[in-house]
Amino acid sequence: QVYLAESGGGLVQAGGSVRLSCVASGAAFSIYHAGWWRQAPGKEREWVAAISKEGGATYYADPVKGRFTISRDNAKNTVYLQMNSLKPEDTAVYFCNARAPTVPPRDYWGQGTQVTVSS
């Protein structure tokens, strides 16, 4: 069992930057793949970025590619999402996800943090 807590959201102007953090507790975080998802009002939750358990591989959804960077520090049990060149359409609640290497895989979620980008 792993518990996730996001922070770092807020209100930012278009073109600005925000860094989200997600701190994990309760289990050895280094065995979990991790990622970020987001959900805008009236829309389904969508995947944003993912990072392998050791941080060697990263993946991004097309809308954020080149603007967002996912990283992790397993010594601090933390995964980050650096968001640059923000657009109003990036406005959403951002959720941290950890996937356990079980069969079938088991997902854990944080409570989310709001990011609002004003035009």
Side-chain angles (χ1 to χ4, degrees):
Q1 179 81 23
V2 63
Y3 302 91
L4 305 171
E6 303 97 333
S7 62
L11 176 64
V12 61
Q13 289 188 333
S17 298
V18 168
R19 189 176 82 154
L20 304 182
S21 300
C22 173
V23 179
S25 61
F29 186 54
S30 60
I31 70 171
Y32 292 81
H33 299 299
W36 288 93
W37 293 63
R38 66 186 182 187
Q39 187 166 19
K43 295 187 177 181
E44 293 187 354
R45 190 174 297 190
E46 66 172 358
W47 170 70
V48 174
I51 188 166
S52 60
K53 57 186 179 179
E54 296 179 352
T58 56
Y59 310 89
Y60 299 93
D62 286 342
V64 308
K65 204 171 290 184
R67 300 187 298 123
F68 291 10
T69 302
I70 188 171
S71 61
R72 68 189 296 166
D73 185 342
N74 285 341
K76 296 182 179 180
N77 287 344
T78 303
V79 61
Y80 304 96
L81 185 67
Q82 177 67 43
M83 305 189 292
N84 299 329
S85 302
L86 283 162
K87 305 175 181 180
E89 51 264 43
D90 294 318
T91 295
V93 177
Y94 283 73
F95 297 90
C96 179
N97 165 265
R99 172 161 287 192
T102 54
V103 179
R106 182 171 180 180
D107 287 311
Y108 298 89
W109 298 92
Q111 80 288 351
T113 185
Q114 176 72 47
V115 174
T116 303
V117 183
S118 63
S119 56

